[in-house]
Amino acid sequence: MKIFTKFDYNTVCKKVLEDKLGNLDLKYRIIAFGEVEFLEKIPSEKMKLLKEDLEEYGITIIENQKTVLIEKIKETILEMVSSDEPLNVKASVYLSEKLSHSYGYLSNLFSEITFSSIENYIMLQKIERAKSLIIKDNLTLTEVAYKLNYSSVAHLSTQFKNITGITPSQFQRIITKRRELANKQ
């Protein structure tokens, strides 16, 4: 038997953080996704335990300010791509407004630290979201293109093929075949 699951990364991460911080009896408040403010000084032994506990779930405590901003850029892009409503503003404007920095600064910093461009990261995230929408929500390519703010299905298809090596239509056929095989078993 096989099941398919759908979950919200923000909710899962928040729950893990709350559980681990609570287990260590720390006083804190969660400000935003991935941002926790401690309401008391944390002894180094407890901080070490917290780091170890969180690493078990793939959560890392970031201490460098540039790296913190890179993570905020990535989170903002994921938020932007995951939105149920398409944005009516360019990604560069959205990022600048959300993060209170010029897009030039954000773009240069992102490239310096990740060795990739923000545009490329956005494209990768949009394709991952497109695959998810095709698999989980069973949307048509027109619906996917609209949801991800592509100018056309052709534009989506071109980027999809450049990233995955196959067209979204081929991807849909593969998913359909896998479902049929799974249902027969």
Side-chain angles (χ1 to χ4, degrees):
M1 181 172 126
K2 194 187 283 190
I3 65 167
F4 295 91
T5 61
K6 183 176 179 180
F7 53 90
D8 178 9
Y9 292 103
N10 293 349
T11 304
V12 172
C13 286
K14 185 177 179 185
K15 180 67 176 141
V16 168
L17 277 173
E18 288 171 348
D19 289 350
K20 296 302 176 183
L21 292 165
N23 289 347
L24 292 171
D25 199 32
L26 298 172
K27 290 182 174 57
Y28 68 93
R29 71 182 178 110
I30 296 178
I31 298 170
F33 181 71
E35 193 171 348
V36 176
E37 178 182 26
F38 291 107
L39 305 174
E40 62 186 0
K41 182 153 173 52
I42 309 300
S44 59
E45 307 83 44
K46 278 194 175 183
M47 188 56 84
K48 185 178 184 230
L49 284 172
L50 179 62
K51 284 181 182 181
E52 290 169 2
D53 285 352
L54 293 177
E55 283 176 2
E56 182 180 330
Y57 292 90
I59 300 172
T60 307
I61 294 176
I62 303 167
E63 296 171 20
N64 175 315
Q65 287 304 314
K66 285 185 176 181
T67 309
V68 168
L69 185 53
I70 295 301
E71 289 306 312
K72 285 185 177 184
I73 292 169
K74 288 179 177 181
E75 290 164 11
T76 304
I77 290 169
L78 284 173
E79 175 186 300
M80 179 179 74
V81 170
S82 301
S83 173
D84 285 331
E85 293 299 317
L87 295 176
N88 294 328
V89 66
K90 287 184 176 185
S92 57
V93 174
Y94 184 79
L95 288 168
S96 294
E97 288 176 356
K98 284 289 259 188
L99 300 172
S100 302
H101 288 284
S102 74
Y103 183 73
Y105 174 73
L106 295 173
S107 180
N108 288 336
L109 180 65
F110 194 89
S111 297
E112 174 190 323
I113 303 293
T114 66
F115 303 105
S116 180
S117 69
I118 286 178
E119 293 79 10
N120 191 51
Y121 187 78
I122 291 170
M123 185 172 41
L124 291 170
Q125 295 310 312
K126 285 173 88 171
I127 297 307
E128 285 305 309
R129 175 86 165 126
K131 290 193 290 189
S132 176
L133 292 170
I134 291 167
I135 292 170
K136 295 176 185 165
D137 296 352
N138 211 18
L139 298 182
T140 67
L141 295 182
T142 302
E143 293 168 323
V144 172
Y146 173 77
K147 224 173 192 7
L148 294 175
N149 213 20
Y150 279 99
S151 57
S152 66
V153 173
H155 186 210
L156 165 64
S157 295
T158 300
Q159 281 193 350
F160 196 99
K161 184 164 183 169
N162 287 341
I163 299 294
T164 66
I166 60 174
T167 66
S169 299
Q170 291 170 318
F171 182 77
Q172 279 181 318
R173 283 193 292 276
I174 290 168
I175 297 305
T176 302
K177 287 281 187 199
R178 284 187 182 169
R179 285 187 179 137
E180 288 170 2
L181 288 173
N183 289 336
K184 286 181 183 178
Q185 295 177 352

